[in-house]
Amino acid sequence: MHATSHAFVANSKNSLNDATLRKALGNMRGGFVNKRAATIAKVPEWEALRDTGRAIKDHTLAHLDFYLEAYEAKVTASGGVVHWARTAEEARQIVLGICRTVDAKTVTKGKSMIAEEIGLNDFLEQKGITPIETDLGEYIIQLRQEPPSHIIAPAIHLTAEQVAETFRKSHTHLVPDRPLGEHRQLVEEARTELRAKYFAADVGITGANFLIAETGTSVIVTNEGNGDLTQLLPKVHIAIASLEKIVPTLEDATTLLRLLARSATGQEFSAYTTFSTGPRRAEDPDGPEQYHVVLLDNGRSGMLGSEFQDMLRCIRCSACMNHCPVYSAVGGHAYGWVYPGPMGAVLTPTLIGVDEAGHLPNASTFCGKCEQVCPMKIPLPKMMRHWRERQAEAKLSPKAMRWGIGAWAFMATRPRLYRLFTRAVAFGLSLAARKKGRFTSLPLAGGWTRVRDMPAPQGQTFQALYAKRRSR
Amino acid sequence: MSTARADILDSIRRSLGREGLDAATEAGLRQRLTAHRRQIGLARTEKDHAELVTLFEDMATALAATVAHIPNSAALPGAVATYLAEQNLPAHLVVAPALQNIPWAERPTLTVRFGKAVNEDLVSVTPVIGAVAETGTLVLTSGPDSPTSLNFLPDTHIVMVNRSQITGRYEDVWDKIRDQGALPRTVNMISGPSRTGDIEQTIQLGAHGPRRLHILILDEA
């Protein structure tokens, strides 16, 4: 996928002026946010579950080499094949190679963010293989030739009217004026269209929410059942996953599953949690004859031991973006690449470079809500600050900003000077604004005063008030 | 032969600032893999069995599954026929071979085929290996006795659960599956019928899998 993260500011402005997008994003609070809160309220153990989940991931990451090798041995023992891919390009070539061995014409796909990360659909199409997304949201955006705007609800930026319009345009073999005014009718139409595709596909590609070292198992979590049909009906099942998806045991996966659905959609548990181990067994009447896992690194092994290691705990629930005031305002497309919201703001610069994605860690109010709701307690704001530091060090942030922060740092490390200066400025400003108590324009603060007044300081400085309070 | 595997493992060890693991650490990790140690569960499952059955029913019903009780497996054909008639559904079944010994012939209105499902099948009947009260979740395992296609292709999935199979936690079912040997190709945890919220976060049932999930609890089993 071609990244437009460098254009985040312009992307955001377009999003903010898009009334249809505003309407679609408005559904989020009543949906994911409230449902999550209601479900977690029924789990008094929530904090302990989060701590346990974090400990599992930290333990696994500290011994990632061991668990990956243990996992591979189990996959092999159950008749599957593990393919290691250093880069997106290697992963694409591996998938293509497998497809070619069965002379694949069409490939059905369950939802996979790793497939998005490696740009799999465009690549397969170029090679003459037709990929068909089967998750309803992914199917809709594939018809519209758009990237997903959310990691678990890819079409969250669309209204039902837009979906109806897309279906009318794409499903031209159906009666043009058929009724599509109800959600029910849209879901039915997609179900009917896709059912035949599952049987026709030569290869089914899914992602994996977890890989289990103990048993060599890949796990997918879905609500629609599309991922299951995708991996059940074709001759070949390929699971593509990044290497940090590994967990040691079935018990570890189970603990993380208790966190995942509740954090994601606010469900107690998703409709379908499926554990796949190897290809169909000799006596099995159904299931794929071949089972492959593509393990993707793509820079993740380099995140270990760095200030971004904690990001590898992420289980892709989307709670951070669902609760993010910036995401809620601009939507996922503004972020310009695969992963939006706070987790994207941290992950995207590591994957495509801070020079391309440097705006993203700055697209934060630092309200801290993302860290508060993260089931894996990932310190997202802290890591966004690390990126800002790196940008400043590499002189990638705007000159005026670096100069301003430099000037502030000079003052802040000289408390007496700071007190003197702030007192003088506050006094000066209150004098200058004596009549109105606010400014309609102010040098260096045009960005603020263009759309609202700047209140003038009143009374004493905070430091003076605090000193007085303490001496009392 | 690509060096990707070796490169990735090297990169991991370099980032972690160490070589391979020492023997003692590795033995500890192997022990952790085979100990099957349970972690924190939910207090809601710390109940006696009768209460767990009630919890299972409540949770499953909240997920839009329907639940009914029958005394034993001999009553299964009648209960299935009644449910299908109530729902105005066709009485043609594809049934898991595990349920071949049920007296289906006593209900001549039902036509029954055993085996995997095909696209035209509208109603399936399967057993489970466990049922988890924690979230009203059914657990099914693949194999010649219980093909996975039965769980996803038909519009209506009818599931037979022995009362004694209902337990508190998912981990209880893992123990049961391990007792039978290696994991089967597929373990399905199913919580309610298929659903989607992909259009405007409005929940619709029957996205790709079954639109209806009907659970029959056998009270004497």
Side-chain angles (χ1 to χ4, degrees):
Chain A
M1 173 182 169
H2 177 69
T4 62
S5 303
H6 59 276
F8 177 79
V9 176
N11 293 349
S12 307
K13 278 190 182 141
N14 292 338
S15 301
L16 290 169
N17 289 325
D18 183 342
T20 316
L21 176 65
R22 309 230 56 71
K23 180 178 175 253
L25 290 173
N27 295 321
M28 209 152 60
R29 179 147 291 278
F32 291 149
V33 173
N34 290 349
K35 284 183 192 165
R36 174 190 171 276
T39 304
I40 287 172
K42 291 185 230 160
V43 181
E45 305 84 355
W46 188 248
E47 279 310 302
L49 270 173
R50 286 175 79 197
D51 289 332
T52 312
R54 177 173 62 176
I56 290 168
K57 278 285 191 177
D58 283 344
H59 167 83
T60 313
L61 292 172
H63 307 98
L64 191 59
D65 48 345
F66 170 83
Y67 284 119
L68 284 170
E69 289 186 287
Y71 167 76
E72 183 189 37
K74 285 290 180 180
V75 175
T76 309
S78 63
V81 185
V82 175
H83 307 263
W84 303 68
R86 283 166 292 206
T87 61
E89 174 59 18
E90 285 185 354
R92 288 190 293 262
Q93 292 295 343
I94 291 165
V95 172
L96 178 66
I98 299 166
C99 290
R100 290 258 160 95
T101 61
V102 291
D103 198 16
K105 304 280 182 301
T106 66
V107 164
T108 40
K109 285 182 66 213
K111 214 183 119 31
S112 158
M113 291 311 295
I114 296 300
E116 300 287 343
E117 181 178 322
I118 66 174
L120 188 59
N121 284 0
D122 287 350
F123 174 79
L124 289 177
E125 269 177 48
Q126 281 164 22
K127 303 292 175 189
I129 297 169
T130 309
I132 299 156
E133 295 288 352
T134 61
D135 170 82
L136 177 58
E138 288 281 348
Y139 177 64
I140 294 165
I141 61 165
Q142 188 185 28
L143 293 178
R144 295 173 62 91
Q145 299 182 309
E146 286 177 7
S149 70
H150 189 280
I151 62 170
I152 68 161
I156 200 168
H157 59 289
L158 298 173
T159 61
E161 293 78 39
Q162 289 174 296
V163 176
E165 192 193 309
T166 303
F167 281 9
R168 265 187 233 288
K169 260 189 213 157
S170 306
H171 302 153
T172 48
H173 54 287
L174 300 175
V175 188
D177 57 350
R178 64 196 180 277
L180 286 176
E182 293 169 26
H183 293 86
R184 169 85 263 155
Q185 293 159 337
L186 295 168
V187 174
E188 278 301 315
E189 185 162 315
R191 177 185 172 110
T192 312
E193 288 297 307
L194 284 167
R195 204 28 111 84
K197 315 266 193 204
Y198 293 115
F199 287 94
D202 306 294
V203 176
I205 301 179
T206 68
N209 292 84
F210 304 103
L211 304 173
I212 302 173
E214 174 196 352
T215 49
T217 301
S218 59
V219 184
I220 59 168
V221 179
T222 74
N223 277 307
E224 299 182 2
N226 65 305
D228 288 281
L229 291 171
T230 298
Q231 66 177 37
L232 173 71
L233 297 172
K235 286 193 288 282
V236 179
H237 173 202
I238 306 175
I240 49 180
S242 49
L243 39 84
E244 85 282 9
K245 290 288 188 301
I246 204 107
V247 295
T249 64
L250 290 164
E251 277 73 13
D252 294 316
T254 302
T255 296
L256 296 171
L257 284 164
R258 287 190 175 101
L259 290 160
L260 179 59
R262 292 184 175 98
S263 298
T265 53
Q267 290 170 281
E268 292 269 359
F269 216 58
S270 298
Y272 301 114
T273 303
T274 301
F275 300 74
S276 305
T277 314
R280 74 201 276 177
R281 306 293 156 80
E283 64 282 12
D284 280 351
D286 51 21
E289 290 157 21
Q290 291 183 39
Y291 174 69
H292 300 268
V293 182
V294 181
L295 263 183
L296 176 71
D297 183 347
N298 212 19
R300 287 167 174 84
S301 59
M303 291 166 72
L304 286 168
S306 79
E307 62 265 62
F308 301 110
Q309 172 169 325
D310 290 345
M311 191 61 220
L312 296 173
R313 288 205 301 265
C314 178
I315 56 172
R316 303 290 189 271
C317 71
S318 79
C320 61
M321 62 195 76
N322 296 340
H323 291 78
C324 176
V326 178
Y327 180 94
S328 309
V330 301
H333 284 165
Y335 290 79
W337 201 57
V338 176
Y339 302 105
M343 58 79 67
V346 173
L347 194 58
T348 305
T350 62
L351 295 178
I352 63 172
V354 72
D355 40 346
E356 165 66 32
H359 280 305
L360 306 188
N362 288 285
S364 164
T365 64
F366 279 170
C367 71
K369 191 74 186 172
C370 49
E371 182 175 359
Q372 211 182 331
V373 297
C374 175
M376 304 309 294
K377 296 197 170 181
I378 300 172
L380 290 156
K382 191 175 97 186
M383 288 190 285
M384 284 187 246
R385 270 198 300 276
H386 286 317
W387 275 124
R388 293 187 188 188
E389 283 163 17
R390 285 206 187 176
Q391 278 180 297
E393 283 161 14
K395 302 198 192 308
L396 284 169
S397 43
K399 212 170 180 179
M401 187 170 135
R402 275 182 283 131
W403 185 88
I405 289 174
W408 180 83
F410 178 84
M411 300 292 290
T413 48
R414 291 165 178 80
R416 287 178 63 162
L417 187 64
Y418 187 91
R419 276 200 295 276
L420 208 69
F421 181 75
T422 47
R423 208 162 62 199
V425 170
F427 182 71
L429 284 175
S430 70
L431 217 60
R434 175 149 290 171
K435 283 214 181 93
K436 287 193 293 184
R438 60 197 156 85
F439 296 97
T440 50
S441 73
L442 205 63
L444 298 177
W448 177 284
T449 56
R450 226 180 352 263
V451 286
R452 48 179 129 37
D453 290 347
M454 170 80 98
Q458 291 175 5
Q460 291 173 298
T461 65
F462 171 78
Q463 296 223 0
L465 285 171
Y466 187 66
K468 195 191 273 177
R469 201 191 171 96
R470 281 188 60 178
S471 67
R472 239 190 290 162
Chain B
M1 180 71 196
S2 158
T3 58
R5 182 182 188 278
D7 286 353
I8 290 171
L9 290 170
D10 278 352
S11 172
I12 289 169
R13 290 177 187 130
R14 203 165 42 244
S15 292
L16 292 172
R18 62 166 169 75
E19 305 284 303
L21 296 165
D22 60 82
T25 310
E26 193 167 322
L29 295 178
R30 294 214 180 275
Q31 206 272 331
R32 191 187 185 288
L33 276 180
T34 49
H36 308 148
R37 192 175 52 85
R38 292 183 181 196
Q39 292 132 3
I40 179 176
L42 306 192
R44 70 165 75 142
T45 60
E46 285 156 22
K47 293 185 162 130
D48 68 34
H49 190 251
E51 289 172 315
L52 285 178
V53 173
T54 309
L55 177 63
F56 172 78
E57 283 183 56
D58 291 347
M59 297 302 287
T61 310
L63 296 169
T66 48
V67 182
H69 288 260
I70 52 176
N72 49 47
S73 63
L76 185 64
V80 169
T82 308
Y83 170 76
L84 294 176
E86 279 169 7
Q87 300 290 318
N88 216 3
L89 294 169
H92 306 297
L93 312 178
V94 54
V95 177
L99 302 180
Q100 256 166 344
N101 294 331
I102 306 278
W104 297 102
E106 288 174 21
R107 279 279 160 170
T109 53
L110 296 174
T111 56
V112 179
R113 193 186 87 245
F114 299 99
K116 67 176 185 177
V118 295
N119 200 21
E120 290 69 31
D121 285 315
L122 293 175
V123 182
S124 64
V125 185
T126 70
V128 298
I129 190 159
V132 183
E134 181 166 343
T135 48
T137 299
L138 303 163
V139 187
L140 290 83
T141 46
S142 65
D145 279 349
S146 188
T148 305
S149 50
L150 297 174
N151 311 343
F152 293 96
L153 284 174
D155 270 10
T156 303
H157 185 193
I158 301 174
V159 183
M160 189 192 90
V161 176
N162 296 334
R163 190 183 169 87
S164 61
Q165 288 178 310
I166 299 174
T167 56
R169 304 175 53 160
Y170 313 109
E171 288 90 337
D172 300 327
V173 186
W174 289 132
D175 287 347
K176 205 181 296 181
I177 292 174
R178 283 185 184 119
D179 286 348
Q180 301 186 353
L183 278 194
R185 149 72 188 168
T186 308
V187 178
N188 290 122
M189 291 188 175
I190 298 178
S191 312
S194 161
R195 63 192 61 214
T196 182
D198 271 355
I199 301 173
E200 296 185 336
Q201 298 213 8
T202 315
I203 302 299
Q204 296 290 326
L205 298 183
H208 291 277
R211 303 163 200 272
R212 295 169 213 87
L213 179 66
H214 187 56
I215 302 168
L216 291 166
I217 299 175
L218 273 61
D219 284 326
E220 292 168 11

